[in-house]
Amino acid sequence: MKTWQLIAGSAVAGLALSVATVTAAGPWDSGQRKAERERVASWSRTGGADHGAGPLPEAAPSAPGVLGAVGPGAPRKESAVGAAAPDGLAAALKPLLADPALGTVRTASVVDTATGAVLYEAGARDAMTPASTIKIVTAAAALAALGPEHRIRTTVVPGAAPGQILLVGGGDPSLTAKKKSPAGSGGSLVALAADTAQALKAAGTDSVALAYDDGLYSGPVRHPIGDNPNIAPVTALTADEGRPDDSTSGPVERSEDPSKDAARAFAALLAERGIKVSGQPARAKAPAGAQPLATTLSTPLGGLVERMLTNSDNDIAEALARQTALAAGQPASFEGAEKAVTDRLAALGIDVAGSRFADGSGLGRADKVSAGLLTGVLAAAADPRNPQLRPVLTGLPVAGFTGTLRARNAGASPAAGVLRAKTGTLSGVNSLAGTVVDPAGRLLAFAFLTANSADGPAAEKGLDKLAAAVATAP
């Protein structure tokens, strides 16, 4: 996935470049349910997988759009079971929600995505710490702001000093320095180095000084929780999520300075291609209006969303929150992202009263989200009028099969293979939110948020029983 450009007449001494452009593109998959993406693409002529140059598939019949019941100001019952709730669903969920293993605070929301009807709720508007289920919100905001086909650029430009080039980060969380990325396609420092070396050699240059610019983001690079193996410092120039090994998900000690390490890796790749890099890479600011010598592009945003949701990837989540901030003209910081995500959800018609999106990943306890907000976002993603949000649904892990639900509701569970949901786990906090097709053929969105559980695994089992009940209750 790359685009490179050779720019003629560079004003930088020692760099006289000819012009050429090459582009290669293709969908990110790495086993990520390509057939599923094609199916949901048929719901609309504007979303989903790349079908090539031929005619698009005929749009499949869709459920009616979500009605006002999930929008801002919509009346919601405060009782545990609304008057319109089906007796079977209420009878199944109410005793399960009373399970002490879930902790002292438990809230729930179940809605019919086609009609917006509230089928069951308990404290559905109470703001709770959502843990990683907030990634559903992050995904929807980013997709609404930028669209599923958006790609993030990492570029190399001439520097202000003679013979200098700069590696400029755009915040691509899929950027890799490996020759074959274990996480699938995305931005490649290997390809970028090859294109840069070709441009330099075409100009008769085989020696440069390398600097790097990671100034696109602002504010603290550390998450407020501090140094943590679940997330790298958040910078605009990070390769392989700052991981020192071939892992693509899960906790591992990260680089202390991902930007500098990415620049060092790029210098080594240039050296392998016959370009001598003098000295150590230093941080600098790219000249205003500098034309790229070479460019590499991220995985399309829809693919980034799917990977983030499936693996509960905190690094991607924080990157997407900052991309949402940039699209809104806000500072690319935790504070700027919070404002941009809040505004974007409100523009989608989601009631954000009482909510707070202090980060994009859910690692912080300052986040506050209600079960009703989560089902509202999921219903919006299922609405045929919002095809740009479809990766929110296709990225959810499948019970018993993929991602963070691989070992949950697995085997003989009636929810195995039919339930899709995002998990959320912090100490004392457990949550689950997703979609399922019920026995009547309705696509239901559900969210269960709990707090103060003493036994995390027991709380997860309780949540799994609730989700299975939504999948099977008449």
Side-chain angles (χ1 to χ4, degrees), residues 55-122:
L56 290 172
E58 289 299 315
S62 296
V66 177
L67 301 181
V70 296
R76 291 187 182 273
K77 300 284 185 180
E78 291 296 337
S79 60
V81 182
D87 292 341
L89 184 61
L93 293 182
K94 192 171 182 179
L96 293 175
L97 199 63
D99 183 355
L102 293 173
T104 61
V105 184
R106 312 145 205 168
T107 66
S109 174
V110 182
V111 302
D112 184 331
T113 64
T115 66
V118 176
L119 305 182
Y120 183 89
E121 62 178 13

Side-chain angles (χ1 to χ4, degrees), residues 249-407:
S249 62
V252 66
E253 289 299 326
R254 310 302 182 86
S255 165
E256 290 290 324
D257 190 342
S259 297
K260 180 172 286 189
D261 285 349
R264 287 171 174 164
F266 187 66
L269 291 167
L270 285 175
E272 290 176 7
R273 286 152 183 80
I275 301 298
K276 180 181 177 181
V277 178
S278 59
Q280 289 294 314
R283 185 177 278 107
K285 184 171 180 57
Q291 293 297 311
L293 309 178
T295 299
T296 186
L297 303 177
S298 74
T299 299
L301 191 71
L304 291 175
V305 162
E306 289 180 336
R307 178 175 159 191
M308 173 187 71
L309 293 173
T310 297
N311 296 325
S312 198
D313 192 302
N314 300 308
D315 300 278
I316 295 178
E318 298 301 346
L320 295 186
R322 277 157 178 72
Q323 294 297 316
T324 304
L326 291 169
Q330 294 290 333
S333 62
F334 284 103
E335 292 78 10
E338 178 176 359
K339 186 177 190 313
V341 169
T342 302
D343 292 347
R344 189 61 62 174
L345 256 64
L348 285 171
I350 305 298
D351 186 354
V352 296
S355 301
R356 185 179 178 195
F357 312 107
D359 67 14
S361 60
L363 287 172
R365 293 178 185 271
D367 296 317
K368 297 299 175 185
V369 168
S370 69
L373 181 143
L374 289 175
T375 53
V377 173
L378 290 165
D383 191 332
R385 294 171 297 183
N386 298 321
Q388 76 278 14
L389 302 185
R390 209 69 72 221
V392 173
L393 304 185
T394 61
L396 293 172
V398 180
F401 286 91
T402 62
T404 56
L405 283 189
R406 184 181 298 275

Side-chain angles (χ1 to χ4, degrees), residues 16 34 63 89 103 133 136 194 266 375 399 431 458:
K34 287 181 67 177
L89 184 61
T133 54
I136 292 171
F266 187 66
T375 53
S431 55

Side-chain angles (χ1 to χ4, degrees), residues 165-186:
I165 60 173
L166 274 83
L167 176 64
V168 183
D172 175 10
S174 70
L175 186 66
T176 180
K178 301 184 186 304
K179 290 181 172 59
K180 183 176 181 182
S181 171
S185 62

